[in-house]
Amino acid sequence: MYAADQLFATLDPTLRKIELSDVGPAILADTVGFIRHLPHDLVAAFKATLQETQEADILLHVVDASDERFRENIQAVHDVLQEIDADEVPSLVVMNKIDNMEDQRPRIERDDEGVPVAVWVSAMEGLGIELLFEALTERLASQMVQYTLQIPPQHQGRFRSTFFQMKCIQREEYDQDGNLLIDIRMQQVDWSRLEKREGAVLRDFIVT
């Protein structure tokens, strides 16, 4: 790990692979931190590093809950995400450092529809980490889509390779006409990106 006594020692993100039940493998990309009133030239410098944010299935926004300015800090992050066109990425707020607060306990905070929107934890003390994984799994699992596709021979090579690389193939077989019948399961955002890229051709393959 690299460290230096300067504002930003590195712009390189740290990647870590984890396994989530009902979801499968997931990659955590730890990007640079944020400060309020981030200069525009630094925002420009961060855009390459924050590409992972734009492509993420969900954004974990870690907040120092013990900081009395945490609401301002949250807004500062939202402002930067909007500037880099990543404000539409689904997010889960992680309210950290509850060990520095009185009358706070690990818990999952939900919206009116019961969807996890925030998790209160202490990374230092290891409190609430299991709740964080529970909320993350729930959010990601709810964003999964599953389809059975019937792909004709002339398209099989390209699409099978794409789905193989995405590690979303659940089952595959060929019918009597040589069509590839394939069950896929992936994140809704990944399907939307693929559908946007391929257009009507991909939608025409959907059987169920």
Side-chain angles (χ1 to χ4, degrees):
M1 179 179 295
Y2 177 74
D5 185 15
Q6 59 192 62
L7 180 60
F8 296 103
T10 178
L11 297 180
D12 295 330
T14 300
L15 303 179
R16 179 186 177 190
K17 183 177 181 179
I18 61 174
E19 287 285 338
L20 297 174
S21 59
D22 298 324
V23 174
I27 300 296
L28 295 179
D30 181 9
T31 63
V32 296
F34 290 83
I35 59 173
R36 289 181 298 162
H37 310 304
L38 194 65
H40 287 284
D41 56 341
L42 282 180
V43 172
F46 290 162
K47 284 188 176 180
T49 297
L50 294 176
Q51 187 67 34
E52 287 80 9
T53 300
Q54 295 172 311
E55 299 295 326
D57 296 318
I58 190 169
L59 174 65
L60 295 183
H61 181 181
V62 182
V63 178
D64 181 353
S66 65
D67 187 338
E68 60 183 13
R69 303 168 301 172
F70 75 86
R71 290 184 178 84
E72 299 174 50
N73 296 335
I74 290 175
Q75 186 58 52
V77 171
H78 286 169
D79 291 343
V80 173
L81 292 176
Q82 186 173 20
E83 187 163 348
I84 65 171
D85 298 322
D87 53 314
E88 296 298 324
V89 177
S91 64
L92 177 66
V93 177
V94 183
M95 301 295 288
N96 190 28
K97 298 189 180 182
I98 61 173
D99 53 299
N100 292 337
M101 308 172 68
E102 296 182 0
D103 302 323
Q104 289 293 345
R105 58 181 178 80
R107 67 185 189 277
I108 297 176
E109 193 174 312
R110 300 175 181 270
D111 63 15
D112 293 339
E113 298 179 351
V115 177
V117 293
V119 185
W120 294 72
V121 306
S122 168
M124 178 69 70
E125 300 294 333
L127 302 174
I129 303 304
E130 71 285 353
L131 295 178
L132 174 58
F133 276 81
E134 177 184 332
L136 182 58
T137 298
E138 187 174 336
R139 285 290 299 272
L140 288 175
S142 68
Q143 297 168 204
M144 301 290 287
V145 296
Q146 188 163 343
Y147 295 110
T148 296
L149 306 177
Q150 184 183 57
I151 305 177
Q154 64 268 30
H155 295 290
Q156 289 172 10
R158 177 163 61 95
F159 281 103
R160 187 181 182 278
S161 176
T162 296
F163 294 135
F164 182 79
Q165 291 176 6
M166 297 176 73
K167 299 181 179 179
C168 65
I169 298 175
Q170 303 292 299
R171 181 187 66 89
E172 58 180 335
E173 63 181 20
Y174 292 90
D175 64 17
Q176 60 184 6
D177 297 320
N179 297 309
L180 174 63
L181 296 174
I182 185 169
D183 293 338
I184 61 168
R185 185 171 184 267
M186 67 175 69
Q187 290 291 324
Q188 173 66 62
V189 65
D190 291 331
W191 172 263
S192 297
R193 289 169 183 151
L194 187 60
E195 191 176 39
K196 182 177 180 180
R197 188 179 74 198
E198 300 295 342
V201 174
L202 184 62
R203 292 192 293 272
D204 289 343
F205 296 156
I206 299 176
V207 177
T208 57

